[in-house]
Amino acid sequence: MSLSALPEPDAIARAHSERLVRRIRDDIARHGAIPFWRYMELALYAPGLGYYSAGARKFGSEGDFVTSPELGPLFAQCVAQAVAPILRGLGPDAVFFELGGGSGAFACDLLAHLQRLDALPARYEMLEPSADLRQRQAERIAALAPELAARVQWRDAPPEHDWRGVLFANEVLDALPTPRFAIEAGEVLEEHVVWSGDGRFMSVLRPADALLGGAVRHVEQALSTPFAHGYRSELLPQLPYWIQAVGGLLREGAMLFVDYGYPRTEYYLPERRDGTLVCHYRHRAHADPFALPGLQDLTAFVDFTALAEAGCGAGFDLAGYCSQASFLLGNGLAERLEEAQALPERVRHQLTLAAKRMTLPGEMGERFQVMGFERGVDLASAFGFGDLSHRL
């Protein structure tokens, strides 16, 4: 999409973006060219200024994108169906730990259905970096699930002690600040960001460090072919360390990740030679990460083979991998729609539309993938329909 086709921000939003531009320029002035992952980190998470740490509305029809939990309760109900046996089996001290709480819709719907299934956790914890989102989440939970609100707690960091329960992340991995690499004459280079003479950010290439260079060579070896000259893409060499940080102390339980992505052989196809980075602004997708810093989301698709390696490397067993459509259909979606027949026509219609959007191949059904890990519990049964682990 042409940048000229993007809606023009108002004066307040424009001023906010300009403050973040100055913050990033200061970083470049102090350190020189910064790696792209650092630019992405500041653009998304700079305190008070980054896209996720500032107060702009992001989720739903009024924001920049719509996630599955924002479409209604069906998504959370199916997740609850999948994890309820685990939570019941772990007993009264089980914890449900969500990375990034969005608007709080998922927490409300999940807790309500877990209560129905007699599988409520002792605590529902959310790791949420945005103070503004924490407030909105708390207000929503207090309004929609007041009898369950006391179970909900917010965290500033992952647990620092052993725990038992379920870790859940929907559209979190795609927003991890990612390095971008390029291949020139067989050499691995890393994309950096500088401030250009014409008053905007621009990309330059620098030799990759040992961590990124080694990770690129690992991918080439796994693919049995080197990347071609001029190939660019994203790669998260820090993913194993991140998984260890958020889930390493989960001694008994499961991890469940939902995101858009591909197995490695599809992620690094020759025709995908410019990578998977995409920007979202007011429900419009485009490819310029330097447009409107702080006002747009920056994401990269997930290499689910790398996620499988990281989870297993952290001591978990791979429970399963499938499309979002298969996961929802295998965990009670049809039953929930059947129950909805008793509801008013308008509600039935909304739920039907949501189910189609979450499962149709041209919508979220195939583009979004689900991967689960288990340690001392059984999550594999939640992947009994349409498992794609053989593609990893």
Side-chain angles (χ1 to χ4, degrees):
M1 171 179 288
S2 168
L3 293 182
S4 62
L6 295 179
E8 183 66 22
D10 61 29
I12 294 175
R14 176 70 72 178
H16 176 92
S17 180
E18 289 172 354
R19 287 194 295 273
L20 180 56
V21 167
R22 290 194 292 271
R23 169 68 180 84
I24 299 172
R25 286 183 63 186
D26 289 344
D27 210 60
I28 294 172
R30 287 194 301 270
H31 305 291
I34 59 174
F36 179 83
W37 68 261
R38 174 60 176 166
Y39 169 84
M40 185 173 176
E41 180 180 57
L42 291 170
L44 296 181
Y45 303 109
L49 295 173
Y51 180 77
Y52 283 108
S53 56
R57 190 169 295 277
K58 304 161 183 66
F59 308 100
S61 60
E62 298 178 1
D64 299 307
F65 51 84
V66 175
T67 63
S68 291
E70 304 302 321
L71 296 174
L74 293 173
F75 179 81
Q77 289 171 351
C78 292
V79 173
Q81 197 78 24
V83 303
I86 294 174
L87 293 172
R88 282 196 297 263
L90 291 175
D93 65 339
V95 174
F96 191 95
F97 180 34
E98 184 183 6
L99 302 181
S103 70
F106 177 81
C108 290
D109 294 330
L110 184 94
L111 285 168
H113 202 62
L114 287 176
Q115 184 178 42
R116 176 184 173 186
L117 297 172
D118 192 26
L120 279 173
R123 297 189 311 281
Y124 188 110
E125 298 184 349
M126 278 193 273
L127 179 62
E128 177 54 68
S130 168
D132 176 76
L133 281 177
R134 285 190 185 194
Q135 180 179 348
R136 294 182 189 178
Q137 292 156 3
E139 291 172 352
R140 184 164 192 161
I141 293 167
L144 299 181
E147 74 282 6
L148 300 173
R151 295 177 186 263
V152 182
Q153 301 175 11
W154 283 263
R155 301 190 61 93
D156 297 314
E160 298 176 350
H161 51 78
D162 291 357
W163 63 287
R164 302 160 73 242
V166 175
L167 182 151
F168 177 76
N170 180 59
E171 294 195 57
V172 170
L173 294 170
D174 64 84
L176 293 180
T178 179
R180 302 193 77 214
F181 71 88
I183 304 296
E184 290 197 356
E187 182 181 0
V188 181
L189 304 177
E190 181 175 3
E191 185 173 321
H192 284 63
V193 178
V194 298
W195 182 254
S196 69
D198 60 356
R200 59 171 282 124
F201 296 113
M202 64 177 291
S203 296
V204 297
L205 295 176
R206 299 284 189 270
D209 62 21
L211 181 63
L212 179 59
V216 171
R217 297 309 184 197
H218 169 74
V219 170
E220 288 181 318
Q221 185 176 20
L223 297 175
S224 301
T225 182
F227 290 115
H229 175 78
Y231 194 93
R232 291 182 183 236
S233 194
E234 299 80 35
L235 196 153
L236 275 170
Q238 68 271 40
L239 184 59
Y241 308 102
W242 185 85
I243 290 290
Q244 186 66 44
V246 298
L249 294 179
L250 176 56
R251 293 309 177 203
E252 187 178 12
M255 300 191 298
L256 195 60
F257 298 93
V258 185
D259 228 309
Y260 41 87
Y262 315 98
R264 179 170 290 153
T265 53
E266 297 176 26
Y267 193 102
Y268 296 108
L269 286 172
E271 56 265 33
R272 200 166 279 126
R273 59 182 294 112
D274 290 321
T276 70
L277 188 78
V278 63
C279 312
H280 294 99
Y281 177 68
R282 297 191 189 175
H283 296 277
R284 293 160 174 85
H286 66 93
D288 185 357
F290 305 133
L292 304 175
L295 304 183
Q296 66 172 357
D297 192 17
L298 310 180
T299 68
F301 281 53
V302 175
D303 174 357
F304 276 95
T305 304
L307 178 59
E309 292 173 345
C312 293
F316 291 83
D317 294 323
L318 179 66
Y321 165 61
C322 66
S323 69
Q324 177 172 285
S326 293
F327 184 82
L328 297 178
L329 291 168
N331 289 282
L333 179 62
E335 291 83 348
R336 302 288 79 74
L337 289 174
E338 181 65 27
E339 291 175 352
Q341 295 306 307
L343 299 174
E345 181 179 356
R346 179 182 60 83
V347 179
R348 293 201 311 271
H349 180 66
Q350 290 175 340
L351 291 174
T352 300
L353 290 179
K356 289 180 177 179
R357 187 165 183 182
M358 292 189 296
T359 58
L360 287 176
E363 295 282 350
M364 297 176 169
E366 299 296 331
R367 187 162 57 96
F368 280 78
Q369 314 283 299
V370 184
M371 180 168 281
F373 299 92
E374 57 191 16
R375 178 182 278 168
V377 299
D378 173 26
L379 183 62
S381 57
F383 290 88
F385 184 76
D387 185 59
L388 299 174
S389 298
H390 61 279
R391 292 172 55 190
L392 296 171

